[in-house]
C-alpha cells in the first residue's frame, strides 16, 4: 500500500515537471550558426514601424495613451516613397556590419510584412502596398548580409493580446485578452517569417518583461522556440528578457550595456556561455525621433564596438529610419566612418574572441589563436604593462603599419614600450604568442 501511495505521489509530482519541449539540444547547423554569429561581431538594428510617422519614438502609443483604433489610422497615410532596400543594405554593408535585425512587428502591433493572419500590415493597410521585409530579405541575400527578425511578444493593438504593465491606455476592451488566440497568431506569423523570406539568422524576441508583475504568466516559450528550430534549425533564438538565458535560447542579449555592466539598469543578469550580443542606439532613441539629433560620435561608436568584442560580444547598433523611407543622413555618415575604420582594423574584430587579458581602463584585447590584439583606447603614457600569466611573446608590432614595438619581460608579464603616447582612436598592438 505504501509503495502504491509512493508511486502515485511520484506520478503526481512528475505532472508538474517542465514539459519535454524544454529539453533543448541544438543541432549541428545551429552550433555552426552560433560560431558564425560570434565571428560576425557587428550588426545593425533597424526600428521601423508606424511610429516613425509621429517622429517621437517607438513607445509613443503607450506613452501618450493613444487609442488603438485612432493609432491604426496612421497606416492609411504611411507611404515611404523613398524606401530602397538596395540603398539600405549597401549603406549598412559599407559600415562593415555583417547582419541586420529588422523590426517585423513591434509593440504597436503593426506588421511590417505581408501576413495573412492580420490585415493590419504594410501591404493590406497602407497605400504603399509593398512588403518591405521581402524586399529587404531579397537584398540581404543578394549582398551577403544576414537578416534577423525582431518580433514583439506584446501587442498594444490586438484585442486578444493579454494586458501587461504597458499599453493599458490604448482602449482595448478586455484586459485578459485571449491568450490561446494570440499565441496561435504569433506562431502563425513566426511560421510565415521563417518560410517566406529565405534563411533567417535569428529571431530576436522582446516583451517578456511586460508580465513581470505576473510571475505565473506562461509565455509558452519552449514550444515556440521548438517551432523556430523545427522550421529553420540554424536560426538562432534570442530574447531581450533581461534574465539569464531560458531553455531553447541560442544567444544572450544585453540592452544598452556591455555584458557584466549595468549602467542603464536593464542588464543586471549573469553572463552565460552562449554567444553574446549587446544592442545600443546610435543617438538616444530606437525609433525615429525628429528632435533627437544627439548622435554618438564615430569614436564613441567604434569604442563601443571594440569594447564589446573585448568582452566576447557582438554589437547591434540601432538606426531609426525616417517616415519617407530613408535612413537619417547623420546615421549614414556614421556608417561610412565606422566602415573606413573597419577596413583597416576589421581583422582585429571579425572572427576574434575576448583576449586572455580582461578589459581594463586603458582598453581591451581580442584574440585569434596565437594573435593577441591589444586595443589601447585610453592611455596617457608610452608604456603599458600586460599580465600574461607567464605566456611568452614571439614578437609585437603596431598593427596599422607593422612597425616593431619593444617588449620587456617582467615577472609574469611584459611591458610594451610604445614609440609615442597613443593618440589614435584605437591604438592596436598585435602580439604573437608562443605555444597558443
Amino acid at each position: 500500500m505504501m509503495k502504491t501511495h509512493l508511486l502515485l505521489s511520484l506520478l503526481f509530482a512528475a505532472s508538474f515537471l517542465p514539459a519535454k519541449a524544454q529539453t533543448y539540444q541544438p543541432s549541428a547547423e545551429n552550433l555552426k550558426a552560433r560560431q558564425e554569429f560570434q565571428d560576425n561581431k557587428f550588426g545593425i538594428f533597424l526600428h521601423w514601424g508606424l511610429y516613425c510617422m509621429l517622429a517621437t519614438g517607438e513607445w509613443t502609443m503607450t506613452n501618450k495613451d493613444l487609442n488603438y483604433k485612432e493609432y491604426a489610422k496612421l497606416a492609411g497615410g504611411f507611404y515611404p516613397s523613398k524606401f530602397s532596400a538596395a540603398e539600405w543594405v549597401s549603406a549598412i554593408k559599407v559600415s562593415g556590419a555583417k547582419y541586420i535585425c529588422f523590426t517585423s512587428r513591434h509593440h504597436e502591433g503593426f506588421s511590417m510584412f505581408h501576413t495573412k493572419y492580420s490585415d493590419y500590415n504594410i501591404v493590406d493597410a497602407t497605400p504603399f502596398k509593398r512588403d518591405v521585409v521581402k524586399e529587404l530579405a531579397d537584398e540581404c541575400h543578394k549582398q551577403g548580409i544576414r537578416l534577423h527578425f525582431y518580433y514583439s511578444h506584446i501587442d498594444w493593438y490586438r484585442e486578444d493580446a493579454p494586458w501587461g504593465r504597458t499599453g493599458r491606455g490604448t482602449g482595448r476592451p478586455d484586459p485578459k485578452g485571449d491568450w490561446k488566440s494570440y499565441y496561435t497568431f504569433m506562431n502563425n506569423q513566426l511560421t510565415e517569417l521563417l518560410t517566406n523570406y529565405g534563411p533567417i539568422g535569428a529571431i530576436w524576441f522582446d516583451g517578456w518583461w511586460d508580465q513581470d508583475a505576473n510571475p505565473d504568466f506562461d509565455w509558452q516559450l519552449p514550444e515556440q522556440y521548438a517551432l523556430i528550430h523545427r522550421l529553420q534549425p540554424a536560426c538562432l533564438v534570442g530574447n531581450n528578457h533581461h534574465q539569464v538565458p531560458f531553455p531553447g535560447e541560442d544567444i544572450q542579449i544585453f540592452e544598452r550595456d556591455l555584458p557584466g555592466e549595468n549602467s542603464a539598469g536593464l542588464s543586471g543578469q549573469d553572463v552565460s556561455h552562449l554567444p553574446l550580443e549587446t544592442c545600443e542606439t546610435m543617438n538616444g532613441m530606437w525609433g525615429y525621433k525628429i528632435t533627437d539629433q544627439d548622435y554618438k560620435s564615430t569614436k564613441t561608436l567604434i569604442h563601443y564596438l571594440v569594447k564589446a568584442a573585448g568582452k566576447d560580444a557582438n554589437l547591434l547598433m540601432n538606426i531609426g529610419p525616417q517616415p519617407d523611407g530613408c535612413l537619417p543622413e547623420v546615421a549614414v555618415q556614421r556608417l561610412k566612418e565606422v566602415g573606413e575604420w573597419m577596413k583597416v582594423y576589421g581583422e582585429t574584430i571579425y572572427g576574434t574572441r575576448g583576449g586572455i587579458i580582461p578589459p581594463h581602463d586603458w582598453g581591451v584585447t581580442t584574440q585569434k589563436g596565437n594573435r593577441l590584439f591589444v586595443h589601447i583606447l585610453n592611455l596617457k603614457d608610452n608604456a603599458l604593462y600586460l599580465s600574461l600569466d607567464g605566456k611568452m611573446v614571439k614578437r609585437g608590432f603596431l598593427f596599422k603599419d607593422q612597425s616593431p614595438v619593444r617588449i620587456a619581460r617582467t615577472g609574469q608579464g611584459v611591458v610594451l614600450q610604445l614609440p609615442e603616447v597613443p593618440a589614435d582612436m584605437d591604438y592596436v598592438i598585435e602580439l604573437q604568442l608562443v605555444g597558443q
Side-chain angles (χ1 to χ4, degrees):
M1 193 70 171
M2 288 295 291
K3 289 182 179 178
T4 302
H5 281 309
L6 178 60
L7 180 59
L8 289 172
S9 297
L10 289 172
L11 289 172
F12 182 74
S15 68
F16 289 95
L17 290 174
K20 193 173 182 180
Q22 290 181 328
T23 302
Y24 171 52
Q25 294 295 329
S27 66
E29 301 101 307
N30 189 279
L31 293 173
K32 182 174 182 286
R34 293 183 187 189
Q35 175 111 8
E36 292 172 349
F37 174 79
Q38 286 183 293
D39 289 345
N40 286 338
K41 279 295 180 289
F42 181 32
I44 297 297
F45 215 167
L46 294 171
H47 272 71
W48 203 36
L50 293 182
Y51 44 82
C52 72
M53 299 176 69
L54 300 176
T56 48
E58 75 289 347
W59 274 53
T60 300
M61 185 179 183
T62 189
N63 288 345
K64 298 296 185 181
D65 288 335
L66 301 180
N67 181 273
Y68 73 120
K69 292 182 178 179
E70 291 299 311
Y71 187 92
K73 294 176 183 177
L74 289 171
F78 188 46
Y79 195 89
S81 60
K82 295 182 179 180
F83 169 73
S84 167
E87 290 182 10
W88 278 24
V89 177
S90 295
I92 288 168
K93 190 171 184 177
V94 161
S95 75
K98 299 295 186 182
Y99 61 96
I100 291 169
C101 185
F102 181 79
T103 49
S104 63
R105 185 177 66 91
H106 205 268
H107 310 325
E108 65 173 2
F110 185 74
S111 297
M112 292 294 286
F113 62 102
H114 196 201
T115 173
K116 64 182 180 181
Y117 297 102
S118 170
D119 59 7
Y120 192 46
N121 70 74
I122 193 167
V123 175
D124 295 322
T126 79
F128 195 54
K129 303 295 181 189
R130 285 163 54 187
D131 187 342
V132 300
V133 166
K134 181 68 167 63
E135 294 179 30
L136 194 60
D138 289 347
E139 196 61 38
C140 282
H141 299 323
K142 179 180 177 182
Q143 295 200 37
I145 298 292
R146 294 290 277 175
L147 180 61
H148 300 184
F149 287 137
Y150 170 108
Y151 191 83
S152 175
H153 266 135
I154 60 180
D155 194 310
W156 300 325
Y157 170 80
R158 286 185 66 91
E159 294 182 359
D160 60 356
W163 291 18
R165 63 174 160 88
T166 65
R168 289 175 167 267
T170 65
R172 292 173 297 151
D174 183 7
K176 292 183 179 180
D178 182 343
W179 171 250
K180 184 178 180 181
S181 167
Y182 181 61
Y183 185 68
T184 299
F185 161 74
M186 288 195 294
N187 288 341
N188 283 336
Q189 283 208 318
L190 289 167
T191 299
E192 289 179 315
L193 289 170
L194 292 168
T195 303
N196 300 337
Y197 300 97
I200 301 303
I203 298 293
W204 203 102
F205 285 113
D206 194 21
W208 179 93
W209 35 260
D210 200 46
Q211 294 290 343
D212 50 15
N214 304 311
D216 295 329
F217 188 89
D218 183 8
W219 287 101
Q220 295 179 255
L221 295 179
E223 296 82 5
Q224 194 167 68
Y225 293 172
L227 169 68
I228 293 167
H229 291 132
R230 188 164 60 250
L231 290 168
Q232 291 199 28
C235 183
L236 306 177
V237 172
N239 196 322
N240 188 38
H241 45 44
H242 311 144
Q243 308 290 312
V244 294
F246 298 163
E249 294 173 8
D250 305 300
I251 61 175
Q252 183 175 10
I253 295 168
F254 297 84
E255 182 175 350
R256 292 187 183 270
D257 269 306
L258 297 169
E261 300 179 10
N262 192 28
S263 60
L266 298 172
S267 298
Q269 69 269 37
D270 291 337
V271 181
S272 76
H273 294 294
L274 291 178
L276 311 175
E277 180 187 72
T278 181
C279 58
E280 179 58 284
T281 54
M282 192 179 280
N283 50 2
M285 187 66 69
W286 300 103
Y288 179 67
K289 185 177 180 180
I290 197 168
T291 58
D292 183 3
Q293 296 301 313
D294 188 19
Y295 282 81
K296 297 173 179 65
S297 68
T298 303
K299 178 179 179 179
T300 296
L301 295 174
I302 288 172
H303 277 202
Y304 210 92
L305 172 60
V306 171
K307 288 177 180 180
K311 290 207 167 194
D312 212 17
N314 290 18
L315 173 62
L316 184 61
M317 186 168 67
N318 183 74
I319 299 171
Q322 298 168 176
D324 63 357
C326 292
L327 301 178
E329 187 176 342
V330 179
V332 173
Q333 182 62 30
R334 291 290 188 274
L335 292 175
K336 182 179 179 182
E337 290 164 354
V338 171
E340 289 299 316
W341 184 88
M342 288 293 273
K343 284 180 184 176
V344 178
Y345 294 102
E347 175 71 12
T348 73
I349 302 295
Y350 299 128
T352 65
R353 299 296 182 264
I356 57 173
I357 300 169
H360 285 73
D361 289 342
W362 54 259
V364 301
T365 60
T366 56
Q367 192 166 351
K368 288 179 186 174
N370 70 336
R371 302 173 69 192
L372 181 69
F373 304 106
V374 182
H375 297 264
I376 302 174
L377 307 175
N378 178 35
L379 184 67
K380 308 302 182 188
D381 200 350
N382 64 349
L384 177 64
Y385 172 74
L386 301 176
S387 178
L388 294 176
D389 196 25
K391 292 180 174 63
M392 304 294 291
V393 177
K394 186 187 302 181
R395 60 187 289 254
F397 50 88
L398 190 59
F399 184 82
K400 64 181 177 181
D401 61 14
Q402 309 293 295
S403 59
V405 170
R406 292 176 59 199
I407 301 172
R409 185 81 194 177
T410 174
Q412 292 293 298
V414 297
V415 173
L416 304 183
Q417 297 175 334
L418 308 175
E420 69 236 328
V421 175
D424 293 356
M425 193 181 304
D426 180 7
Y427 196 84
V428 184
I429 306 294
E430 178 174 341
L431 300 181
Q432 295 185 347
L433 306 178
V434 177
Q436 286 291 297

